[in-house]
Amino acid sequence: MTCASFDVFDTCLTRTVCAPSEVFRLLGLQIGTKAGVVAPEAFARQFVAWRIEAERRARLHANSEEVTLEQIWIEMRGLLEVSGMALPDGPQLEMKAESDMLVGVAQVREQVASARASGKRVLFISDTYLPAVFVRRLLRRHCFAEPADHVYVSSETGLTKHTGNLFRHVIATENIPAAELHHIGDNPAADVFVPRSIGVRTTHFGAGALTGSERLLLTHLSNVTAGPRTAGRLRAARLSLANPVPSRPGIVELVNEFLGPLLAVLGRWVIRRARADGMVRLYFASRDARLLWTVCRCVVAEIDCPIDCRYLHISRRALLLASSSEVSPRDLAWLQRDFEVPSLPRLLGKLEIPFELFLPTWHRIQPAWGEEQPLATPEHWQAFWRELEKPEVHDALMETIIRKRSTANAYLGQAGLFDTAPAGFVDLGWFLSCQAALNRLRAGSGQTPLRGYFLALLQGRLGPGEAGPACALFEQAAADLPQPVSQRWLRRNHLLEHVAGIAEHASVTGYSAEGQPLFSHTEGTAHLALFAAVEGALLRYEATKGRHWSPIADDDEAAQAFLSALLDNFFDHPPAQVVAELAGVMSDSDQTRHDTEELARPYSWAEVLAAWLPGNGVAALDHRIWPEASSVVTPRFRRAIHRRSAAVQHVYHRLGLT
């Protein structure tokens, strides 16, 4: 009869910790706390070292390929005598700790059931020092093994999979040819290459390995208890659920490896801080905080928190002009932003001044002015402000300000912004311009200023006197201080807005007389389907894994370290499936949408070859909002040439040709 055999640990069963040594640490912590040691955490770390050393010594003294748990604890008791501690029931305590931290892998459980249904004999084969009777009990408890199934364990036979001898023993005992055994397991050597070398058919089970976001928790938070523990719990949650094959795997990867962890941590941080500040209501800014709003509503339901989370249809374009009171460089300071091109079409678009009202007189004083030519000197700006002060332009602009303020107030009143309840404002962040505008519009009603909660605040942000109180998980250091490596991702803030800020509607341009939001355009069917797929995947992520991020969100330093690594890794190395889903998302950094472009667009031959010319450097390609994603969608041969341009430019630089 054909046999299907399954590895046990990290195939059928997985731990809720990321490594076996974490079992030892938690067991040591439990023992140390119960014994009343002075420093249980320090004792737990020493316990791990003892347990690892005990296993090493047991293997040195063993006369077989495998050792037993009893042999390990003979050595362990000798090491524990140093601390004056005797643990005669040590093996039982360790098996209890193992049992408490194991969950079944749903995908493999389905494979076991499928093998039975097809008439195959089911076997379980494991390299482990744990007793066979204990392993069988675990497999029965988690609905893998049935009474007739054979369980082959190295601790019982003294033979291991790594040498191939345990497989030879199974083949002889079952009296089958090697080719009649099909083995499934997670270890590339012991479960795949070794059995394959003796004629066993094999299948590698790779889902038990840590994913990218789970590995980041280890590599960047290995010295924080919450890091390894969270990684293990996330893996266990992922593997314990049977996931159907997704219709859009790129969306699932985007959420599981980026948006889910990012928003789960940020959302829990926001709710924790707002709750501590006594907020009873939070307003989430569109579109940047649309998905964050979804997550935070899940969080408040999960912890039974009374904070009322509301979505706010706003934008810089809808608020900044409406919150102004006069035509002056001081009141309209938001016209001059370092990250926006100050060309006349863009400036007049922000002010909603018709070109025909402004350009004729401007061209009389600047006859050679190009349409997209920026205001580059103080003289240019002085001339611009003089033109705005001319009666016909000034009066039209003030009429626009009054109208926009009236319609904005109508919308904000319906949204509850003029209520007296303590309220906060949530956005990804940057400069506090929208919070300042909201607080200026609310100032006439006597409310206390909105308190802001942000992912990050950058240099040049408005102060508390202008914008109201605010806090952020990241606050960019002053310009005269070295910028932390952990803040490298901040230069991608506009890119983050378009990836994390996916919404079912376009940018808000203003409000109707009745206070209804108006949008720059109507989103197409493809974009609406993208949003629905992302939000649906995010809700599933929150339901199954969201709560496991609480220990990271509760520790500001851990949250900063993890999110920095997550953001840098995602932007620098975007997965191809994710890029394929996001490529068509339109991005812009200017509120008048003058610089709209796709997030990812293949590089042309002209662009690629231009990067090889002396003096150009890779700057010829870096004008894209997401160069790495554009590289992913570029055809392979062209992409290879593109990537080599950096090395060529380095040579040019050394030769003084840049």
Side-chain angles (χ1 to χ4, degrees), residues 10 15-24 101 210 218 228 232 235:
D10 292 326
R15 297 176 178 89
T16 57
V17 292
C18 63
S21 62
E22 273 294 288
V23 177
F24 307 154
M101 295 178 198
L210 295 175
L218 290 189
R235 178 179 62 180

Side-chain angles (χ1 to χ4, degrees), residues 10 13-18 101-106 207-210 214 228-243 544-545 547-548:
D10 292 326
L13 306 173
T14 191
R15 297 176 178 89
T16 57
V17 292
C18 63
M101 295 178 198
L102 287 168
V103 298
V105 178
L210 295 175
E214 293 160 5
R229 188 176 300 179
T230 300
R233 287 175 176 172
L234 287 168
R235 178 179 62 180
R238 170 169 56 84
L239 295 174
S240 63
L241 296 173
N243 293 318
T544 57
K545 305 178 186 73
R547 67 184 182 278
H548 297 305

